Amino acid sequence: MVKAFIFDMDGVIIDSEPIHLEVDLMTARHFGIPLEEKEIDQYVGMTNPEMWAIIKETHRAAVSVDEIIRVQLEKKIRLLEALEIEPIAGIRELLQELGRHRIIIGLASSSPRAFIEKVLEKFRIRDFFSCVASGEEVPKGKPAPDVYLEAARLLGVPPSACVVLEDSRNGVLAAKRAGMRCIGFQNPNSGRQDLSAADFVVQSIGEIGIPDLFEKVEAVSRADTAEMEP
């Protein structure tokens, strides 16, 4: 039975992957790192420390990861504050419908907490969420399951009773490794993400109707149970 719904944030609540892409390229140029746009898709869903550690090693950059992240976060928050944007279409309605059905709502994002809180504050939706978990505050970021397990712990709900909404390959893998059901959201601005590990995939947030969601999740659970039976 579904007791909790956990949202990823980037590419799900806010169409922020273009923002991340622009700022990541600006940050790389700032430090003289020859980062190319096509290189970034593979890092979607990962935490900043993990992403920049790989980029630093790949490009043999002399600057520290901490300094890169400091500059990146400053640029990202300034850009977010300047933009006139709304949540991805259908998000406000989905949050309201989940509330009407008394489903506990959490958020588990790879972004730093400062950016998460700025986004929720900007969209005036912070009160919908019973917990917020940042991938930078757990031992391992996505595709490891840590941030989703932490969200379930904070919500007081077993992972098997949680449904996750994700737009990236790394995020889907994290949710499944946590033992949760996962809806893949095919956001065209998130790059060519392989969402095949998700239990099912939607092209828009509006496709996620709560009664239908319960039926689909239960059907997947029954199918999985049947496969395990001798």
Side-chain angles (χ1 to χ4, degrees):
M1 180 178 177
V2 179
K3 295 183 178 179
F5 195 101
I6 304 176
F7 288 80
D8 174 39
M9 186 183 76
D10 295 297
V12 170
I13 290 175
I14 177 175
D15 207 0
S16 55
E17 296 307 342
I19 297 173
H20 292 315
L21 175 62
E22 180 180 348
V23 173
D24 290 347
L25 292 173
M26 287 169 55
T27 303
R29 286 195 298 270
H30 178 88
F31 291 108
I33 301 171
L35 186 66
E36 295 185 13
E37 183 175 333
K38 63 182 180 182
E39 191 179 336
I40 294 178
D41 282 356
Q42 63 186 305
Y43 304 122
V44 174
M46 293 176 65
T47 65
N48 287 319
E50 290 168 323
M51 179 186 79
W52 286 111
I54 296 171
I55 293 171
K56 170 181 163 64
E57 183 176 352
T58 300
H59 294 281
R60 299 180 180 179
V63 65
S64 72
V65 170
D66 286 346
E67 179 62 11
I68 295 173
I69 291 172
R70 184 189 67 78
V71 171
Q72 177 205 34
L73 184 57
E74 287 178 358
K75 291 179 180 294
K76 198 168 288 185
I77 288 178
R78 282 202 301 270
L79 180 57
L80 175 67
E81 290 174 340
L83 289 172
E84 293 293 331
I85 54 175
E86 285 292 323
I88 287 175
I91 285 295
R92 291 191 190 278
E93 292 80 3
L94 179 55
L95 288 168
Q96 291 164 357
E97 190 173 3
L98 288 165
R100 284 194 294 271
H101 285 83
R102 300 182 184 278
I103 301 298
I104 304 171
I105 304 172
L107 187 147
S109 171
S110 293
S111 283
R113 181 169 291 272
F115 186 71
I116 296 170
E117 296 292 351
K118 280 289 184 182
V119 169
L120 299 182
E121 176 189 332
K122 186 177 185 71
F123 291 156
R124 302 177 302 283
I125 57 174
R126 181 63 178 86
D127 290 346
F128 283 102
F129 295 92
S130 297
C131 84
V132 169
S134 167
E136 295 191 5
E137 299 171 352
V138 294
K140 293 183 179 180
K142 303 173 186 178
D146 301 34
V147 72
Y148 280 117
L149 293 174
E150 174 65 4
R153 185 190 71 79
L154 292 170
L155 293 172
V157 176
S160 60
C162 298
V163 174
V164 169
L165 180 59
E166 265 287 356
D167 71 311
S168 73
R169 174 184 178 276
N170 289 322
V172 170
L173 291 175
K176 296 303 295 180
R177 289 170 181 171
M180 301 177 180
R181 298 301 175 196
C182 185
I183 305 168
F185 169 45
Q186 199 79 66
N187 185 335
N189 287 328
S190 297
R192 297 180 179 180
Q193 296 295 312
D194 177 6
L195 305 180
S196 58
D199 293 293
F200 50 94
V201 177
V202 298
Q203 305 299 317
S204 70
I205 304 299
E207 294 177 46
I208 307 170
I210 300 306
D212 290 342
L213 169 65
F214 291 167
E215 289 178 12
K216 287 180 180 179
V217 169
E218 292 302 324
V220 170
S221 298
R222 288 194 297 270
D224 287 351
T225 301
E227 287 181 5
M228 291 188 292
E229 292 176 349

